[in-house]
Amino acid sequence: MLLNLSLLGSDPVAFFRLLLEISAALIIAITVHEFSHAWMAYRLGDDTAKLQGRLSLNPLVHLDVMGTLLLFLVGFGWGKPVPVNHLRLRGDIRTGMAKVALAGPLSGLLVAGALGLGLRLTGLPLDGIPLLVFFYNILLALFNLIPLAPLDGFNVLQGLLPSRMAFSFSRLEAYGPGLLLLLILVDNITHLGILLRLLSPGINLMSQLFLGERLI
C-alpha cells in the first residue's frame, strides 16, 4: 500500500476502496493457508492446532497483528504460525511435516484455480476482489514454497530428500530467516524486484492455465 499512498491525495475514495479490497484478499489467502496446515496436521493425527482453535476458517484466529501490518507496509508479512507436534504425526516424521507444510501452498493454488476457472467459464470480469484473491493466493503459495526456513518450502524439500541429504540440509535451517530477511531488505532498498522476478514465471504459468492470460 505504500506504493499507492499518492492515490490518497488524488483520489481518496479509490485509495480506501483498494485498501479494503487488498485487505479482504489477504485475509482470505492467509486464513485458507493457515487453516490448511491445521487441517492436514489433524488428519495425520496431531490435534494440537485443533485444541488451540486453529482448525477454523475464522480469520481472527490466524492473523498475526505485526505480520499483517508489515504485509501492507513492505509487502512481506505472515500469519500466526500453526502449532504442530511432529511426534504425534502418523508415519515418518519428515514426510508428515512435509505434508503439513505443503497443505498451505497447495490450498492457495486450489482456491486460485477454482476461482480462475469459475470466472473463465462464466465470463465474469476479473477485477477487484476476485482478481486480488486470485493473485494473492498464488503469490502466497509460491513465495512459501521457496526452500528457506521458516517458509513451507524448507520442510517440503526436507521431506523429499533422502535421509542423509535431509540431515545435511537441516543444518541450514538456522540461516534461513537471516537469508530471507536479507533478500527482502535488498529487494526493498534496491527496487530490483528480485522476488517478483523469481515468482513471476510461476504466477504467469498459473494465470495462463486457469485464466487464459498472464497477470505480470
Side-chain angles (χ1 to χ4, degrees), residues 138-168:
I138 292 179
L139 181 65
L140 185 64
L142 296 181
F143 175 74
N144 270 280
L145 286 174
I146 297 174
L148 282 176
L151 300 179
D152 298 323
F154 183 85
N155 282 328
V156 171
L157 182 56
Q158 195 170 27
L160 294 174
L161 291 172
S163 297
R164 184 171 295 182
M165 293 181 65
F167 177 75
S168 299

Side-chain angles (χ1 to χ4, degrees), residues 22 206 210:
I22 290 177
M206 294 294 103
F210 298 127

Side-chain angles (χ1 to χ4, degrees), residues 37-109:
H37 284 317
W39 177 83
M40 181 57 72
Y42 182 68
R43 287 294 301 267
L44 293 176
D46 177 25
D47 62 353
T48 304
K50 182 178 186 298
L51 293 174
Q52 295 188 21
R54 303 298 300 278
L55 194 60
S56 168
L57 286 173
N58 177 1
L60 296 179
V61 304
H62 298 297
L63 296 180
D64 179 271
V65 175
M66 182 58 69
T68 303
L69 180 62
L70 287 176
L71 269 173
F72 289 100
L73 294 179
V74 299
F76 167 74
W78 54 85
K80 191 181 299 181
V82 170
V84 179
N85 184 345
H86 63 276
L87 297 176
R88 302 189 66 180
L89 298 176
R90 288 190 295 270
D92 179 73
I93 291 177
R94 286 195 300 112
T95 302
M97 289 298 293
K99 289 179 179 179
V100 172
L102 184 60
L106 185 59
S107 68
L109 295 179

Side-chain angles (χ1 to χ4, degrees), residues 1 12 14 28-29 41 57-58 61 93 98 104 117 132 135 142 148 162 179 189 211:
M1 285 305 300
I28 291 171
L57 286 173
N58 177 1
V61 304
I93 291 177
L117 288 175
L132 292 171
F135 176 74
L142 296 181
L148 282 176
L179 289 172
I189 292 172
L211 295 174

Side-chain angles (χ1 to χ4, degrees), residues 11-55:
D11 192 343
V13 173
F15 174 83
F16 284 109
R17 183 178 63 195
L18 180 61
L19 178 62
L20 288 174
E21 290 175 347
I22 290 177
S23 299
L26 284 172
I27 287 172
I28 291 171
I30 292 173
T31 299
V32 170
H33 184 97
E34 299 301 340
F35 165 79
S36 298
H37 284 317
W39 177 83
M40 181 57 72
Y42 182 68
R43 287 294 301 267
L44 293 176
D46 177 25
D47 62 353
T48 304
K50 182 178 186 298
L51 293 174
Q52 295 188 21
R54 303 298 300 278
L55 194 60

Side-chain angles (χ1 to χ4, degrees), residues 141-209:
L142 296 181
F143 175 74
N144 270 280
L145 286 174
I146 297 174
L148 282 176
L151 300 179
D152 298 323
F154 183 85
N155 282 328
V156 171
L157 182 56
Q158 195 170 27
L160 294 174
L161 291 172
S163 297
R164 184 171 295 182
M165 293 181 65
F167 177 75
S168 299
F169 182 63
S170 68
R171 296 178 178 177
L172 302 176
E173 183 173 6
Y175 303 101
L179 289 172
L180 185 61
L181 181 60
L182 179 62
L183 174 60
I184 293 167
L185 286 175
V186 169
D187 214 10
N188 277 275
I189 292 172
T190 63
H191 303 291
L192 291 176
I194 300 171
L195 282 171
L196 188 59
R197 291 173 187 269
L198 177 66
L199 301 177
S200 59
I203 294 172
N204 282 325
L205 176 63
M206 294 294 103
S207 62
Q208 188 73 49
L209 178 63

